[in-house]
Amino acid sequence: MIPRRKFRLKLRSCTLILGQRTLVMGVLNVTPDSFSDGGNFFSQEKAVQHALQMERDGADLIDVGAESTRPGSLGINAEEEWSRLAPVLSALRTRLKIPISIDTRKSEIAAKAIETGAEIINDVSGLKHDPRIAEISARARAPLILMHMRGEPQTMQQKPFARNALKDVIQGLRASLSIARKAGIANSQIVLDPGIGFGKSYAQNYQLLAQLSQLAKLGFPLLVGTSRKGFINKTLTQDGNLAPSPHPPGIAAELKISGTAATVTASILHGAHIVRVHDVAQMVSVARIADCILNPNLAPKT
C-alpha cells in the first residue's frame, strides 16, 4: 500500500483531481461483440440510457468505445466505428453531465469524437496503431490515456508472453510517452494504463497488480481496467464450471463481480487513480472503502 501522488487533469469542462479519491470510469461498449457485454448496448437508446444510469450510479466519467479489442477480435474500419459512435456521442453530449472518454485506436475517430463532445482520448494501443492520435490530443489539449498492449488484439493471447511483464510494460509505455511528447502533449495531460489482460498471461496480470507501485514511479497517474476480464473468470472456474467453493452453482455473474471487486481494491491500494469498470454501482462502493483504507481521514467521523 502506497500513498498516491495527486494530479490535476485539465478538460474543457472541468479539472479532474486525481489521487484525492479514486475516480470510477464506467464502460460503455457500443459493439455487438465485446467480451463481457457485447450487444447489450448496441442500440443508440440502450447505450444512452446505460450511460445515464452509470452516471446516476456514481461514475465520474464514461468511456465510450465502438470497436471490440477482446482477444481474437479482428477490428473494424473507421466508417463502421463512427457509424456506431456518432449517434450515441451526439445524444450524450447534451444529456450527460460527467466527462466522456473516447476509446479508439484511430486518429480520425478521435478527432471526430472530440468535436462531438468527448474530452479524453483512450488509446489501448498506446499510439502504436496510429501515432497521429497524439497530434489530435495535442491540438485539442485533450488528456490522453496510453495503454500497454503486447501485440494486436487478434493474436495478443497467442504470441509468447514477455519473460518479465513489468519490464515489458515499462518499456512499452516509455515508447508511447516518447511519441506523445514529440507531438507536444504535456506530461500533465497523460495517464498510463498497464493493459491488464492485453498480451499478458493470467499470472502476469496478478503480478502487474501487485507491482503497480513500480509503474507509479514513472510519475504519471494510473488507470487500471480489470473488470470482468478472463483471468478473473479463469481463477474462479475450472473447465467452465465453478471452482470448488462454498458457493452454489449458478452464480457466475456474482463471482465475476466479487472477483473484479478484489482486483479493484488491489489496484487502488497499489496506486491506481482511476478504475475502469462495467458494474459501476458496486465498484463505487468498493472504491469508497478502499480509499478509506488508503487514507483513513476519508472515513466518516464518529
Side-chain angles (χ1 to χ4, degrees):
M1 189 169 74
I2 63 167
R4 284 182 301 206
R5 180 178 163 187
K6 303 219 174 21
F7 298 89
R8 298 171 67 88
L9 204 62
K10 293 183 179 180
L11 281 60
R12 281 197 307 265
S13 65
C14 64
T15 297
L16 295 178
I17 307 300
L18 307 181
Q20 187 170 318
R21 66 174 181 85
T22 305
L23 300 189
V24 175
M25 171 185 277
V27 179
L28 181 61
N29 290 318
V30 191
T31 67
D33 57 350
S34 289
F35 76 94
S36 65
D37 57 2
N40 288 353
F41 312 111
F42 192 43
S43 75
Q44 175 188 345
E45 188 54 32
K46 284 185 178 180
V48 170
Q49 289 305 316
H50 185 56
L52 294 172
Q53 183 60 54
M54 288 192 287
E55 180 181 42
R56 290 191 292 269
D57 288 340
D60 297 288
L61 55 164
I62 300 293
D63 192 42
V64 185
E67 178 185 50
S68 175
T69 50
R70 75 191 193 287
S73 59
L74 300 176
I76 57 175
N77 61 41
E79 183 178 2
E80 174 64 21
E81 187 173 350
W82 185 244
S83 71
R84 298 175 181 181
L85 283 169
V88 174
L89 289 175
S90 296
L92 289 177
R93 185 175 195 170
T94 57
R95 300 177 67 179
L96 203 63
K97 296 181 178 65
I98 56 178
I100 295 172
S101 165
I102 179 64
D103 177 358
T104 187
R105 298 182 294 162
K106 302 181 183 72
S107 58
E108 60 186 287
I109 299 299
K112 290 179 179 179
I114 291 294
E115 292 174 357
T116 315
E119 298 186 72
I120 302 170
I121 301 170
N122 181 13
D123 181 5
V124 298
S125 80
L127 300 176
K128 294 174 183 175
H129 184 82
D130 184 351
R132 292 172 298 176
I133 283 181
E135 299 169 14
I136 303 301
S137 172
R139 187 160 60 243
R141 296 184 179 178
L144 178 62
I145 300 167
L146 297 173
M147 195 193 83
H148 175 272
M149 182 194 302
R150 184 176 174 84
E152 293 290 327
Q154 185 178 1
T155 57
M156 64 186 178
Q157 295 307 113
Q158 300 170 9
K159 290 187 174 183
F161 300 118
R163 289 187 178 183
N164 185 320
L166 179 63
K167 183 178 179 180
D168 189 54
V169 169
I170 289 174
Q171 288 178 341
L173 289 176
R174 280 179 172 160
S176 297
L177 284 167
S178 178
I179 298 171
R181 286 165 173 158
K182 287 178 181 177
I185 302 174
N187 283 347
S188 60
Q189 292 293 83
I190 297 174
V191 177
L192 299 183
D193 180 346
I196 300 297
F198 285 81
K200 286 88 174 174
S201 70
Y202 296 138
Q204 287 176 340
N205 290 322
Y206 287 114
Q207 290 166 4
L208 287 169
L209 291 177
Q211 296 172 325
L212 274 181
S213 59
Q214 297 301 310
L215 290 180
K217 292 180 181 179
L218 292 174
F220 296 86
L222 298 178
L223 181 151
V224 179
T226 59
S227 183
R228 301 184 185 178
K229 288 193 173 175
F231 77 104
I232 295 174
N233 189 51
K234 189 66 174 181
T235 302
L236 299 176
T237 62
Q238 291 180 354
D239 299 324
N241 299 311
L242 288 176
S245 74
H247 302 289
I251 59 169
E254 287 81 358
L255 285 181
K256 279 186 179 181
I257 291 175
S258 61
T260 295
T263 60
V264 166
T265 301
S267 300
I268 294 169
L269 297 184
H270 285 88
H273 296 78
I274 306 170
V275 290
R276 184 179 183 275
V277 303
H278 298 83
D279 305 289
V280 169
Q282 294 92 329
M283 298 311 141
V284 164
S285 297
V286 168
R288 187 172 300 169
I289 298 298
D291 282 346
C292 288
I293 297 172
L294 195 61
N295 180 5
N297 291 328
L298 295 176
K301 308 302 179 189
T302 56

